[in-house]
Amino acid sequence: MARIRLRRIARGKGVNAMKKLFCAALAALVLTAGSVAAEPFAPAPDAEAQLDVMAASGVIQEEINTLYHTWDGILKSGMAKRSHYTFYAAVTDLNHNGRLELLISSHFLNRDPLYYAGDSISEEQKKGLQYLCNNYPSEVYGEAYEISVDGSTLEPYAINHANTQFPDLTRLHIRGRKTDGHYIYMVDTQRMPRNKSWTSATDRYDIVYDAQILWADVDLGVGTNAHAEGTASVHGEQVEPFYTSMNLLYLNKDVDPYGIEAEKFQRERLDRGGRRINFVDWQALDKDARTALASSWYGWSYESEE
């Protein structure tokens, strides 16, 4: 699939330097297509044995069965051209305790932009809309598990996202900052909620963005630092998000999405976040779960700010 470039757009009095920087931040944090090559890591004790336990646990097969069951329901509902469901998995050690975690990220994709555009658009435009639909899920949810203390089983790990959007774990950044005894990680969750009022093609699509943090304790805690809303348009292969509102929740303050305060917030996240963790898709997991899980783990590294 073609790589989508983020381009500036003029609105009102024009684009200032702050907007340019904010767009660059979102491009790096939100619209990147995958992880870069990993740095060498210190392996967890008995990591290979733990990967064996994960692969044999039945969790991946259960997720695959759920995917097929959900897809069968989509087919029977007649929504196959407008909806899609998929999931990804990653192996991590977020709390640095040597017991590996298995993170599952499930995405429900809204394909209404492609459906309503039909065949009247160019191939380039179709690629742009496809990218938009694939990278802005309608809904995001998932599961987490951790190897037991004795290393013999894979146990459910609760995700505590009370009063906040469920995090898109495929957009979890790898560099943890140790705060009050916990490693805090950056998560960027972007969505394109389904708009039931759509009945035809449109030139702009509503999007939302949540800048979140995640930490590993007795469960995986999730908090939201900022929430932004806006629209995205597609011109050829280019996807252009434009945010019209932003609230810094930790300050309970509305700010200009392209102003100084938003720019400072995004810069700090860029500096602290690091690359994204290494996820594998369900097709690789279905083919050979053990190999796919190992490839995800080999992409992990303990990049931390003490």
Side-chain angles (χ1 to χ4, degrees), residues 52-265:
D52 289 340
V53 171
M54 282 187 182
S57 67
V59 168
I60 295 299
Q61 189 57 53
E62 183 179 345
E63 292 292 338
I64 291 172
N65 291 341
T66 297
L67 182 145
Y68 282 128
H69 178 76
T70 303
W71 181 240
D72 185 59
I74 291 173
L75 289 173
K76 290 178 179 178
S77 70
M79 293 287 285
K81 291 184 178 180
R82 296 178 56 185
S83 303
H84 189 67
Y85 177 80
T86 190
F87 81 91
Y88 307 87
V91 180
T92 62
D93 183 15
L94 298 174
N95 54 12
H96 296 203
N97 69 354
R99 291 189 285 123
L100 307 190
E101 302 114 3
L102 173 64
L103 307 183
I104 303 291
S105 186
S106 301
H107 294 179
F108 192 85
L109 305 183
N110 168 19
R111 288 182 167 173
D112 283 350
L114 279 165
Y115 175 80
Y116 287 120
D119 296 324
S120 61
I121 58 176
S122 68
E123 288 302 313
E124 283 190 344
Q125 191 82 350
K126 287 181 181 178
K127 290 178 181 178
L129 285 176
Q130 185 70 59
Y131 183 88
L132 175 69
C133 295
N134 287 346
N135 287 273
Y136 287 81
S138 175
E139 297 293 339
V140 176
Y141 34 95
E143 304 288 344
Y145 302 85
E146 187 177 40
I147 293 291
S148 61
V149 174
D150 65 5
S152 64
T153 60
L154 190 62
E155 299 177 336
Y157 202 171
I159 301 179
N160 182 4
H161 65 289
N163 302 316
T164 190
Q165 169 64 39
F166 196 98
D168 184 350
L169 297 173
T170 67
R171 299 183 178 279
L172 175 64
H173 293 261
I174 203 165
R175 183 179 299 153
R177 180 173 182 176
K178 197 166 187 180
T179 305
D180 296 329
H182 304 294
Y183 289 95
I184 307 297
Y185 297 86
M186 303 295 180
V187 187
D188 295 286
T189 301
Q190 60 186 22
R191 296 182 299 122
M192 179 175 59
R194 171 160 272 146
N195 188 335
K196 295 182 179 180
S197 68
W198 285 351
T199 57
S200 60
T202 181
D203 60 349
R204 303 200 70 83
Y205 304 91
D206 294 337
I207 57 173
V208 296
Y209 164 69
D210 289 288
Q212 298 175 294
I213 57 173
L214 181 145
W215 61 93
D217 199 347
V218 294
D219 54 19
L220 292 185
V222 183
T224 299
N225 287 342
H227 176 82
E229 298 184 4
T231 60
S233 61
V234 178
H235 302 283
E237 295 186 17
Q238 296 192 14
V239 173
E240 298 178 333
F242 181 80
Y243 289 94
T244 55
S245 68
M246 185 176 190
N247 184 273
L248 298 180
L249 298 174
Y250 64 100
L251 297 176
N252 191 26
K253 183 177 183 180
D254 293 321
V255 299
D256 178 354
Y258 305 105
I260 294 175
E261 291 172 295
E263 177 271 327
K264 180 181 177 182
F265 173 76

Side-chain angles (χ1 to χ4, degrees), residues 266-282:
Q266 290 293 347
R267 184 185 293 278
E268 289 176 351
R269 285 180 70 83
L270 276 174
D271 291 342
R272 286 184 51 189
R275 64 182 176 86
R276 277 162 44 190
I277 59 175
N278 188 29
F279 265 82
V280 290
D281 59 29
W282 76 269

